[in-house]
Amino acid sequence: MDRDRYKEVIRVCCLEKDLEIMEHGDQTEIGERGINLSGGQKQRIQLARALYQDCDIYLLDDIFSAVDAHTGSEIFKECVRGALKDKTILLVTHQVDFLHNANRILVMRDGMIVQSGRYQELLESGMDFGALVAAYESSMDLVEMSTPVSDDNPQTPKSPHTPLTRGESNGESRTLDRSKSEKGTSKLIEDEERETGSVSSDVYRQYCTEAFGWSGVGAVILISIFWLSSLMGNDYWLAYETSENTIFNPSLFMMVYLIIAGVACVLVFIRAFLVAILGLKTAQKFFAQILHSILHAPMSFFDTTPSGRILSRASTDQAAVDFMIPIFLSMTLVMYFNLVSIVVVTCVNAWPTVFLVVPLVWLNIWCRGYYLATSRELTRLDSITKAPVIHHFSETVSGVMTIRSFRKQGRFFEGNVQRVNANLRMDFHNNASNEWLGFRLELTGAFFLCTATLFMVTLPSSFIQPEYVGLTLSYGLSLNAVMFWTVFMSCMVENRMVAVERIKQFIRIPSEAPWRIADCLPSPNWPTHGDIEIIDLKVRYRSNTPLVIKGVSVNIYGGEKIGIVGRTGSGKSTLIQVFFRLVEPSGGKIIIDGVDICKLGLHDLRSRFGIIPQDPVLFEGTVRSNIDPIGLYSDEEIWKSLERCQLKDVVAQSLKNLMLLVVVDSGDNWSVGQRQLLCLGRVMLKCSKILFMDEATASVDSQTDAVIQKIIREDFSACTIISIAHRIPTVMDCDRVLVMDAGMYLTLLSLQLSYTCKLSKEV
C-alpha cells in the first residue's frame, strides 16, 4: 500500500471530514451495499477507489449528482483538474457548469452523438447544448437576482390552522464537536447467532405440534402402532401355522395372511398421508412465520444482518423443514417401534438372549451420545458457513461490472473458493463422523448377533422350541440393521432439527411497531393542513451507536416548501427516514397536525405521505405495476401522470400498452433519472398532503429539473414539501431552507432573495 498516495486520494476526494466523523475512521465497517453511507459518501469512495489505481484513462459517470455544490466544486478542482490533469477523462454529467473546462464536449440524444466541439463552439451553434446551458443559466439567474431588503429578520408566514409557539431555531448557540463525539462499541455486522449443546426439547415440541397440536402427533403414533402390529401378526400367524402341533390348512392360512397384509397396506397408506399432511402444514406455518418476521423487522436488522444469512435460513433451513425432517422423523418413529417389537419378540421367545440384548442397547446408546456431541455442532457450523458463500456470491454478481473494471476477478474467485472450502470442510468432517458411527455400530451388532445365534443353537430344545428359534433368528438377523438405522436416523433428526432451531431464531426477531393500532387511528383525511412540529428530535440507528440527529427542533407550517441542504453525511436523509419511522426516534417528538406520529400504526402513517427517494426503487414487472402497485387508478390517470413527469414519450415510443412495457429487476433497463421520474409519477397519482423529496432531480439535467420544479409548483401548491437538494436552484422555490451539519442544523433561513448569498455560504 502506498500510504502517501492513499492520503492524497482521501484529500482530493474530500473524504477527510467524513473519516473524522466516522467511528473508526477508515477502518469503519461498511454494511452491505454501503447501507451505512450517504449517497455522496458512496460516490466519493468509489471515486477514491478509481483514483488510487493511477490509470491512464478514467471513465467518470455523473460523479457530482449526489454531492453538495461546495464538495462538487472542490472535487472538480482538486481531483479532475488537479490529480487527474494529465489523464484522459471521459466525464458523463448533467452539471453544465463544469463543461467550460472540458477540451471537448459530446452531446447525445436518443443514443446518438448530435453535437461535438468545445464549450463556446457548441454554445454559438445553439441546438441541444444551447438549450441545456440556457436552462441552467435561467435557474442560476434566479439565484443571482438579489434585491436588498431592509428587514434583517423577515417574518415567516404563520399557519392559520394551528398555533405553534415553539422556537424555530436551536442551532445558533451550539458548537460542533465532530472529532470526539460519543462512540459506539459494537461491530456493524455481528457474528451469527449459534446455539450449543443438544437441541432443546421445546424445539421438538414446537415442530411436532405446530400444525395440529398433540392430536396430530397422537394420530401418527397410533396408526404406526397398528401398522407394525399387523406386520408382527403376519409373522406370528406364519410361525403358528408351521408349528408341529398345528394341522396346516392352506386355504385358511392364505386367507388370513392376505387379510392381515391388506390391513397393513391400508394402514401404511393412511400413515404416509398423515405424515405428508403434517409435514406440509408445519413447513407452511414456519415459512409464513419467518416471512412475516423478516418483512416486519426494523431497518436496523437489515443493517447488521447480511442477506446471505436471511437467504440461508429461508432456503437451506426451510428446505430441511420442507423435505428432510418429515421423512427422517417418520422413519425414526417406525425404526423405534420396529426395534422395540424385535427386542420384545426375541426376549419373549428366546428369553436367555436378554443378557446379550441389554448390553448391546446400552453400547448403541453410548455411541449415539458420543457421536451426536460432534455431529450436531458440525451441522450448526455447516449452516453458519453456508451464509457467507451465498452472501459473497450475491455481492460478486451485483458488483461484477466494478470487479471486472478493476481486474479483481482473481481476488473474488479466491474469496469464493475459501468460503466454499470452509463450508465443505464441515461437510467432510460430518461424513467422517458418520463413517465412524456406522463402523462401530455394525461391528458390535455383528458380534452380538453371532454370539446370540451360537447360544440359541447350542441350547437344548426344552429351553427354546425349534419353531421359535427360527422366528427369533429371523428377527435377530434384522436387529443389527434396525438398531443401526434407528440410532443413525435419530441422529439425523437431531441434526436436521438444527434447521428448526435456526428458523426459530429469526421468528423471534424484534418486530417494528404495529401495522395498525386500533385505539389510535387518524382521521380519514389526516393530515389536513400539513403542519409539522419537530421537538428536540434525537436519532440513533441502533442503541449502541452515536446520535446521528442531535436535538433538532423545527416548526413547519402547512403548505410551506422547506429545502434541506448541507454537506453529504450531515443527516438530511436520516431526518426524512424518521418521518416514515424507518428509524425510530431515540428522543423528542414529531407532531403533524396535532398528532404524535410515534403513536400511530406504521401503515396509517406511511400511507399518508409521498416520497421520491434518493435511490429510486423499481420492482420487476410493468410500468403500471410500478406506478400503481395496488391497482387503484385508471389508464387515463396513469397516462396523465406520465405526461406530467415527462415520461409519456419514453413509454409511448416503446409500447402503448402500460400492462406490457417491461421493467426488469431494480429497474436496470431504465436510467437513474427515469427511475426518479417514475417515482415522481407515482407520487403525483397519490396526491399526498405532505411530500418528501430526497434529491429527486439529482440525476436529471437542468432543463428537465426546471420542468419538474414547475410541475411541483403547480401540482403540489397546497402541499407541505420537504426537499433535500444539493443544487441551489432546486431550493430557490422553497419558502425556507434548513441548513444541517453533523446531525444538527446550523440555521433555518427564510429564503428571500436578499438571503441568497448567505445561503450559498452556509451550503
Side-chain angles (χ1 to χ4, degrees):
M1 176 180 176
D2 187 341
R3 177 64 62 177
D4 293 335
R5 179 167 181 78
Y6 176 80
K7 291 181 178 179
E8 178 63 14
V9 167
I10 294 296
R11 185 188 68 80
V12 300
C13 293
C14 302
L15 284 169
E16 292 175 318
K17 183 178 179 181
D18 299 275
L19 295 181
E20 289 176 6
I21 296 173
M22 290 181 184
E23 186 178 347
H24 301 294
D26 61 357
Q27 296 300 311
T28 300
E29 188 176 6
I30 303 303
E32 189 174 6
R33 301 183 307 278
I35 200 166
N36 55 332
L37 296 175
S38 70
Q41 288 170 335
K42 283 189 278 190
Q43 263 192 353
R44 284 180 286 128
I45 287 175
Q46 291 182 77
L47 178 62
R49 180 172 57 196
L51 195 61
Y52 184 78
Q53 302 302 310
D54 194 20
C55 298
D56 295 324
I57 300 174
Y58 282 85
L59 309 177
L60 307 180
D61 187 2
D62 210 4
I63 59 174
F64 305 110
S65 62
V67 297
D68 57 87
H70 175 71
T71 305
S73 299
E74 284 294 312
I75 291 174
F76 189 81
K77 174 185 174 184
E78 298 292 339
C79 180
V80 178
R81 300 195 64 191
L84 300 179
K85 63 181 178 181
D86 297 324
K87 310 292 185 181
T88 300
I89 301 173
L90 181 60
L91 172 64
V92 178
T93 183
H94 294 299
Q95 312 281 60
V96 297
D97 46 324
F98 295 124
L99 295 182
H100 62 275
N101 292 291
N103 301 112
R104 189 180 181 190
I105 301 170
L106 304 177
V107 183
M108 296 191 68
R109 184 179 69 232
D110 298 330
M112 300 175 61
I113 297 175
V114 294
Q115 285 182 278
S116 174
R118 297 183 68 86
Y119 185 90
Q120 198 60 37
E121 296 172 0
L122 296 180
L123 198 58
E124 292 171 357
S125 66
M127 297 176 60
D128 296 60
F129 185 73
L132 291 173
V133 174
Y136 170 75
E137 289 179 347
S138 63
S139 65
M140 291 307 296
D141 285 343
L142 181 62
V143 177
E144 293 170 0
M145 288 170 57
S146 178
T147 304
V149 179
S150 59
D151 186 2
D152 292 335
N153 296 294
Q155 298 294 316
T156 55
K158 297 297 179 181
S159 169
H161 309 292
T162 307
L164 301 175
T165 57
R166 190 172 183 84
E168 295 181 356
S169 176
N170 68 346
E172 288 123 6
S173 62
R174 295 191 177 186
T175 57
L176 300 179
D177 182 10
R178 304 182 188 89
S179 59
K180 298 197 176 184
S181 58
E182 61 173 300
K183 301 288 184 181
T185 57
S186 69
K187 296 166 59 181
L188 177 65
I189 307 298
E190 298 289 348
D191 294 333
E192 189 165 2
E193 182 181 359
R194 176 167 73 95
E195 303 287 345
T196 55
S198 60
V199 176
S200 170
S201 59
D202 190 51
V203 174
Y204 282 93
R205 180 188 60 77
Q206 287 178 339
Y207 176 82
C208 293
T209 61
E210 187 69 35
F212 301 107
W214 289 110
S215 58
V217 179
V220 171
I221 292 174
L222 196 62
I223 294 295
S224 299
I225 292 174
F226 287 155
W227 172 52
L228 289 172
S229 299
S230 65
L231 294 180
M232 290 176 61
N234 259 346
D235 294 334
Y236 266 101
W237 176 248
L238 178 62
Y240 173 77
E241 283 293 314
T242 55
S243 63
E244 294 178 354
N245 302 326
T246 304
I247 299 173
F248 183 70
N249 185 342
S251 59
L252 178 64
F253 169 75
M254 288 300 296
M255 183 179 67
V256 174
Y257 196 88
L258 287 175
I259 290 173
I260 297 175
V263 171
C265 289
V266 172
L267 289 173
V268 74
F269 175 78
I270 295 173
R271 179 186 169 279
F273 182 77
L274 280 176
V275 169
I277 291 296
L278 279 172
L280 179 63
K281 198 70 176 177
T282 301
Q284 288 175 336
K285 287 199 170 185
F286 273 118
F287 185 74
Q289 289 176 21
I290 192 173
L291 185 63
H292 180 274
S293 181
I294 291 172
L295 292 179
H296 289 80
M299 293 305 296
S300 58
F301 168 77
F302 299 99
D303 293 348
T304 59
T305 306
S307 60
R309 291 185 193 172
I310 301 173
L311 291 173
S312 175
R313 281 172 166 81
S315 57
T316 306
D317 293 329
Q318 184 63 40
V321 175
D322 287 345
F323 304 111
M324 307 304 294
I325 294 180
I327 294 173
F328 286 157
L329 201 57
S330 171
M331 292 177 65
T332 302
L333 185 64
V334 171
M335 288 294 178
Y336 269 117
F337 283 134
N338 206 3
L339 178 63
V340 170
S341 66
I342 290 174
V343 172
V344 169
V345 169
T346 302
C347 293
V348 167
N349 296 289
W351 60 267
T353 57
V354 71
F355 298 107
L356 296 174
V357 171
V358 171
L360 177 62
V361 171
W362 176 86
L363 191 60
N364 276 266
I365 292 173
W366 181 86
C367 286
R368 178 185 182 276
Y370 194 86
Y371 160 81
L372 260 183
T374 300
S375 178
R376 184 174 50 236
E377 299 307 316
L378 287 172
T379 303
R380 285 175 175 145
L381 290 171
D382 177 61
S383 299
I384 287 174
T385 54
K386 195 175 267 86
V389 176
I390 300 173
H391 175 64
H392 184 267
F393 185 78
S394 65
E395 284 213 321
T396 302
V397 171
S398 63
V400 66
M401 187 182 298
T402 304
I403 294 169
R404 288 178 177 176
S405 299
F406 288 92
R407 300 186 296 277
K408 297 296 182 183
Q409 297 97 315
R411 173 184 169 186
F412 279 81
F413 177 81
E414 185 63 30
N416 187 65
V417 169
Q418 290 175 359
R419 288 166 175 81
V420 170
N421 281 342
N423 180 245
L424 292 179
R425 196 175 294 121
M426 302 301 112
D427 200 41
F428 172 79
H429 290 305
N430 219 337
N431 288 331
S433 63
N434 292 343
E435 293 297 325
W436 179 93
L437 177 68
F439 175 75
R440 279 155 180 77
L441 292 183
E442 293 278 6
L443 182 64
T444 54
F447 173 76
F448 277 96
L449 178 63
C450 290
T451 305
T453 303
L454 182 63
F455 184 68
M456 285 189 290
V457 169
T458 55
L459 283 176
S461 58
S462 58
F463 276 86
I464 306 175
Q465 296 180 18
E467 63 271 20
Y468 290 116
V469 171
L471 178 64
T472 303
L473 285 178
S474 69
Y475 273 80
L477 286 172
S478 61
L479 177 63
N480 185 28
V482 169
M483 188 166 288
F484 165 73
W485 282 108
T486 301
V487 173
F488 184 75
M489 295 304 295
S490 66
C491 292
M492 288 298 101
V493 168
E494 177 90 356
N495 289 339
R496 293 298 178 268
M497 276 294 173
V498 169
V500 179
E501 184 181 78
R502 285 164 54 81
I503 288 176
K504 281 295 181 183
Q505 288 173 354
F506 266 39
I507 291 175
R508 294 192 298 266
I509 296 170
S511 177
E512 60 180 359
W515 202 235
R516 287 184 182 275
I517 300 177
D519 58 349
C520 193
L521 296 174
S523 61
N525 58 345
W526 180 88
T528 53
H529 309 305
D531 294 326
I532 300 173
E533 185 178 8
I534 304 175
I535 305 172
D536 194 26
L537 182 65
K538 298 177 181 177
V539 178
R540 61 179 83 237
Y541 288 124
R542 292 174 300 284
S543 59
N544 49 11
T545 58
L547 287 170
V548 290
I549 301 292
K550 305 169 184 176
V552 171
S553 294
V554 178
N555 285 344
I556 300 172
Y557 307 107
E560 269 196 305
K561 311 298 185 285
I562 301 296
I564 304 179
V565 298
R567 196 176 188 277
T568 56
S570 59
K572 304 185 297 295
S573 296
T574 303
L575 183 61
I576 288 184
Q577 289 178 23
V578 180
F579 277 94
F580 288 84
R581 289 173 64 190
L582 297 175
V583 183
E584 294 285 353
S586 301
K589 294 180 180 180
I590 298 179
I591 297 174
I592 299 179
D593 283 351
V595 178
D596 186 349
I597 66 170
C598 290
K599 295 180 180 179
L600 297 177
L602 292 182
H603 176 73
D604 294 326
L605 174 68
R606 295 170 181 172
S607 62
R608 307 301 176 93
F609 299 155
I611 183 171
I612 306 173
Q614 184 174 16
D615 298 318
V617 177
L618 297 185
F619 299 98
E620 185 175 359
T622 64
V623 170
R624 184 185 183 94
S625 66
N626 274 277
I627 203 169
D628 181 23
I630 308 177
L632 298 177
Y633 306 99
S634 65
D635 282 2
E636 183 181 353
E637 291 174 306
I638 294 176
W639 276 115
K640 184 179 179 182
S641 173
L642 289 173
E643 183 178 10
R644 293 294 289 160
C645 66
Q646 308 296 299
L647 280 179
K648 183 177 180 179
D649 292 341
V650 177
V651 176
Q653 286 173 8
S654 303
L655 203 61
K656 290 188 177 181
N657 192 339
L658 291 170
M659 300 298 291
L660 299 178
L661 183 55
V662 175
V663 177
V664 302
D665 188 28
S666 301
D668 289 340
N669 59 333
W670 294 67
S671 71
V672 178
Q674 288 174 328
R675 283 180 242 165
Q676 285 185 321
L677 290 174
L678 201 58
C679 289
L680 174 62
R682 186 187 299 163
V683 168
M684 292 178 72
L685 275 177
K686 195 175 180 182
C687 298
S688 301
K689 189 66 178 178
I690 298 178
L691 173 63
F692 298 92
M693 302 172 62
D694 189 355
E695 285 294 332
T697 58
S699 298
V700 298
D701 57 84
S702 298
Q703 192 174 8
T704 308
D705 185 11
V707 173
I708 291 173
Q709 296 303 325
K710 181 174 180 289
I711 294 169
I712 291 172
R713 282 196 301 272
E714 294 174 355
D715 289 30
F716 298 95
S717 58
C719 299
T720 302
I721 299 177
I722 298 179
S723 175
I724 294 175
H726 289 135
R727 297 178 182 175
I728 294 177
T730 303
V731 298
M732 291 309 297
D733 281 334
C734 296
D735 301 313
R736 291 187 290 166
V737 174
L738 178 68
V739 183
M740 295 192 66
D741 190 19
M744 296 186 289
Y745 77 83
L746 301 179
T747 185
L748 184 61
L749 298 174
S750 181
L751 196 59
Q752 297 187 13
L753 295 180
S754 60
Y755 283 80
T756 300
C757 295
K758 184 178 180 182
L759 169 61
S760 302
K761 292 178 182 178
E762 293 287 0
V763 173

